[in-house]
Amino acid sequence: MENLKQELKLKILEELNLEDLTIEDLQDDTLLFGEKIGLDSIDALEIIVMLDKDYGVKIINQQQGIKVFHSIQTIADFIEESRKA
Amino acid sequence: MSKNYFINAMGCVSPQNSLDNNNFLTEIKEAQIDRLACFEPNYRDLINPRILRRMDRVSRMTIFAASLCLQESGEVEMDAILTGTGLGFMFNTTVFLKNIIESGDSLVSPTTFIQSTHNSAGGIIARMLNSNKYNFTYVHRGFSFESALLDAMLHLEEGCQNVLVGAFDEITEEYIKVMNRLQSLKRLDKDQSTQFLDASIRAIWGESAAFFTLGANQTEKTYAKIKEMKMVFSNGTNESIKPEIELFLEENGLKIEDIDLVLSGIDGNPMTRKNYLDLHESLLPNNDMASFKNLCGEHKTASSFALWMAAQILHKQFIPEVSKLNFKETKAKINNVLIYNNYNNINQSLILLEHV
Amino acid sequence: MTKVLVTGMGIVSALGIGVEINLAHLKAEKSGIDSYKLFKPFIPYDLPIGEIPHSNKQLGELLGLKSSKDFSRTSLLGLLAAREAYVESSNPKLKTGLVSSTTVGGMDQSEIFYQDFLPDNEAGSLRTILMHDCGESSEQIARNLGIKGLVTTINTACSSAANAAIFGARLLKAGKLDRVLIGGVDAITNFTMGGFNALGILNAEYCKPFDKNRNGLNLGEGSAFLMLETEAAAKENNSEVFCELSGYGNANDAYHQTASSPEGSGAALAMQRAIEVAQISPADVEYINAHGTGTGNNDLTEGLAIKTVFGENIPKFSSTKGYTGHCLAASGSLEAVFSILSMNQNFWLPNLNFKEPIEEHGLIPIQKLIEAEGPKTILSNSFGFGGNCTSLIFKK
């Protein structure tokens, strides 16, 4: 789980080109779409592509996306659960 | 109705070091084999990393050039934002096409698609300035920049005070490969004079991004004044543009001999070279002439680099040696500069500038 | 200042080729959206589109071309609409220009090229890639019609053709031209299908603009052109006058590359500017042809913007995207033709597939075709990526 979260943080920084942020800015419970990180709808789509490509998990609809993309923790939980299912 | 279009600020990212308008082509960068690629700045110097993060190279060049211009303009509000580009965001377009060709039925990232829209640079500038003003993008081959410029001039005629107008085009590996393949198909005309540019007869592909603040009033920073601009669309026939140029000058109260410098778009491109040479010899044999494509390379919006160069020449009263083509005697003062560009013998344009 | 008059119209859409057939299908409330038959997707989509049911070869034959091979689909569609709209000039001294628009130009041909070129850079027919850029279709049209006064192309995404109308009108008012053919064209391509699909806004069913349960847009293809002439030129040419282009406004939302600001401030400004240029008051607008794509974001914010501009007195309105799909650059000119038909042929356009209003604004569009004296003042909206918002006003 810790490894997964670390990996997700690096991937998000890298794939979304968040050059002005470091891994310290991205705590497990930092709001991804809040003021500090400030992701938008396009980032959400990018994360959906990343989860599909790298983890083989699919986000079915927007409502689910909003819940899952809350923080690094919630994304990691979602991946773990999907893997169990 | 204003008929004065003052160039009050400029920003230019080009293959030359054109980032500081206080310096004017003091060092010259030469072409690498078949291309002149941009001398790239440290983009973070002027662009917020948050805005930067989704931009590809040409967006960065473009927004940097616009930012340089805006920085020089100071606290001037822009009444319109006009951009021109011949090919838009080639790199993003190619990446997205590649993704959809290769993706099968898996998901594709949308970012390169949304950033491939030709007006995305205009949109970024609007967001940077928080400007909800008129915002147009012109995408017509060798008229892309000229159309944006026409719109800018029209805005000043309609009573606007300041407008931001610029153009951009990039080279990509794929683009160079396609253009070189196309060029190798064109047979060279053996009779071509080598009076100008003794480089081998082929085009050097280039790129640039240049922006201008066009104002209705002169300021202490004014570089030059645009008197008039004209686009001549020909149906691909080899009809001479000579009468059009004569008429254009006449309409602006000038004779051929009043033009102190012709800034010509001639390069080694075999397709247009003969027509350039014919025109130079038939109409302009006694005019001092300089080239610009040996500095910026051929691209659909090269005339925007030429406008930057012409404004600098008039402002600094200095013509870089490397661009001089045909000099009878160096004039004591450069008052009138005519930019002539010919894109594929179909889109030909004239921009007339005056010293202020 | 001179009036700008509409003196010619031409259209190609999923409803058919030519003004007559489009009018017939509009009045019959018959949508042109269906599963694709000619489009060749890289991957099979189970998505309906507004496709024109003619192959490139058939379009070439309609145009009387020897071969359609040297033409992108974009050029073929553009030529058909432009020819229908074009009004010959009786006086060679009148200066005529062309302001066309397209979002992806000859991408239908580039896609063929890239499939060969990407694996092998020496492969791919160069003939096809020469048609890639946005200027190609415009130059084909200008050459075909002998237009020389000014030839240019605009690309501001989905507001393109409406912006071509603005630039054309301004050129006439400034005396730069006497006559100008304006419009837009886009063909269905893998690039745009793939792009809108990646954005998750393509609808697997028919689009439902302004409906609470709207679930995305259907892409369409098409082209429409309008001939604009100054009052003096129209008189001299003895042209049939369809209406006046009396107002126009362009504003940038300055919010996001693809999403509208929450309250649709750019859209509201565009409408307000158009009303101001037309020198009328909001109460004079009798019908709004909305952009209404059927996406969650557009229909919510456009509705809010309409409320900002018109307050409690919302004019009758509808989106015609349910007929044709979203034809990108062409949508502005396509919908201008529909609006002018409704004005002159005395009917009010319905918003197909609407059932329940959006909770946030509660706006209810025209649901069934109304046969009655047509609207005399029409406002038509077109909004595009890059925050580009445009409104046009047509007056009887």
Side-chain angles (χ1 to χ4, degrees), chain B residues 62-341:
Chain B
T62 306
I63 299 307
F64 196 88
S67 301
L68 277 174
C69 181
L70 291 165
Q71 193 179 48
E72 202 170 83
S73 291
E75 297 292 306
V76 166
E77 198 195 352
M78 298 299 164
D79 295 319
I81 296 165
L82 295 323
T83 53
T85 177
L87 286 169
F89 301 88
M90 284 291 291
F91 180 80
N92 273 344
T93 304
T94 309
V95 169
F96 188 71
L97 257 178
K98 208 174 157 171
N99 284 349
I100 55 172
I101 289 173
E102 292 169 357
S103 70
D105 55 0
S106 60
L107 294 173
V108 178
S109 147
T111 301
T112 50
F113 173 70
I114 64 167
Q115 296 296 116
S116 74
T117 318
H118 294 62
N119 71 327
S120 65
I124 294 170
I125 297 170
R127 293 200 292 281
M128 253 168 37
L129 294 177
N130 201 17
S131 162
N132 52 46
K133 294 292 171 62
Y134 184 103
N135 194 311
F136 271 31
T137 301
Y138 293 87
V139 293
H140 195 97
R141 301 190 158 170
F143 287 158
S144 303
F145 173 61
E146 285 79 352
S147 301
L149 187 59
L150 172 62
D151 196 342
M153 291 160 74
L154 215 53
H155 268 96
L156 297 187
E157 285 181 37
E158 289 165 349
C160 289
Q161 291 302 300
N162 292 285
V163 296
L164 181 70
V165 55
F168 59 92
D169 267 307
E170 66 174 321
I171 45 180
T172 64
E173 283 306 321
E174 286 83 4
Y175 174 72
I176 297 252
K177 277 174 187 152
V178 169
M179 293 312 281
N180 283 342
R181 276 174 62 188
L182 280 169
Q183 189 172 226
S184 65
L185 294 181
K186 302 268 180 280
R187 248 189 299 137
L188 300 184
D189 186 334
K190 289 222 174 75
D191 297 331
Q192 283 184 351
S193 150
T194 48
Q195 187 184 355
F196 309 126
L197 300 181
D198 50 8
S200 60
I201 313 269
R202 62 182 172 82
I204 300 292
W205 312 115
E207 58 181 8
S208 69
F211 276 81
F212 306 87
T213 300
L214 222 57
N217 298 302
Q218 190 175 341
T219 69
E220 53 192 27
K221 286 182 200 156
T222 299
Y223 287 91
K225 184 168 105 178
I226 296 178
K227 284 193 76 166
E228 197 51 277
M229 187 274 301
K230 185 172 193 166
M231 291 177 254
V232 181
F233 175 74
S234 12
N235 282 337
T237 52
N238 270 344
E239 194 181 330
S240 170
I241 193 179
K242 197 177 146 188
E244 294 277 2
I245 298 182
E246 285 168 328
L247 180 68
F248 176 72
L249 293 179
E250 193 188 305
E251 284 166 353
N252 287 285
L254 294 173
K255 297 190 185 68
I256 295 288
E257 53 268 31
D258 298 325
I259 302 300
D260 303 309
L261 179 73
V262 176
L263 204 51
S264 166
I266 189 169
D267 65 351
N269 189 346
M271 202 170 155
T272 50
R273 191 174 163 84
K274 185 169 185 303
N275 286 347
Y276 272 115
L277 292 174
D278 284 349
L279 180 76
H280 293 177
E281 279 154 24
S282 67
L283 186 68
L284 312 158
N286 299 316
N287 290 82
D288 282 353
M289 192 172 294
S291 62
F292 58 89
K293 285 188 189 154
N294 55 331
L295 299 172
C296 70
E298 174 67 314
H299 50 293
K300 291 179 169 65
T301 49
S303 53
S304 63
F305 175 82
L307 184 63
W308 172 82
M309 196 170 149
Q312 286 281 40
I313 287 172
L314 283 163
H315 186 59
K316 308 264 186 318
Q317 292 288 309
F318 166 77
I319 303 165
E321 276 310 314
V322 65
S323 63
K324 288 183 181 174
L325 288 179
N326 181 27
F327 271 72
K328 301 291 173 205
E329 50 181 318
T330 301
K331 294 257 167 52
K333 187 156 184 230
I334 309 161
N335 267 318
N336 295 304
V337 175
L338 177 68
I339 301 171
Y340 166 61
N341 191 45

Side-chain angles (χ1 to χ4, degrees), chain C residues 300-355:
Chain C
L300 170 61
T301 56
E302 184 175 11
L304 294 173
I306 289 174
K307 283 188 119 172
T308 305
V309 177
F310 295 94
E312 291 307 305
N313 303 310
I314 310 280
K316 287 197 175 69
F317 76 97
S318 62
S319 158
T320 47
K321 298 277 193 299
Y323 277 103
T324 59
H326 187 359
C327 301
L328 306 179
S331 62
S333 50
L334 222 61
E335 287 155 28
V337 170
F338 292 167
S339 297
I340 296 167
L341 284 173
S342 124
M343 175 188 287
N344 292 330
Q345 304 288 326
N346 298 317
F347 67 99
W348 298 65
L349 288 155
N351 186 110
L352 304 182
N353 313 324
F354 175 87
K355 287 200 178 68

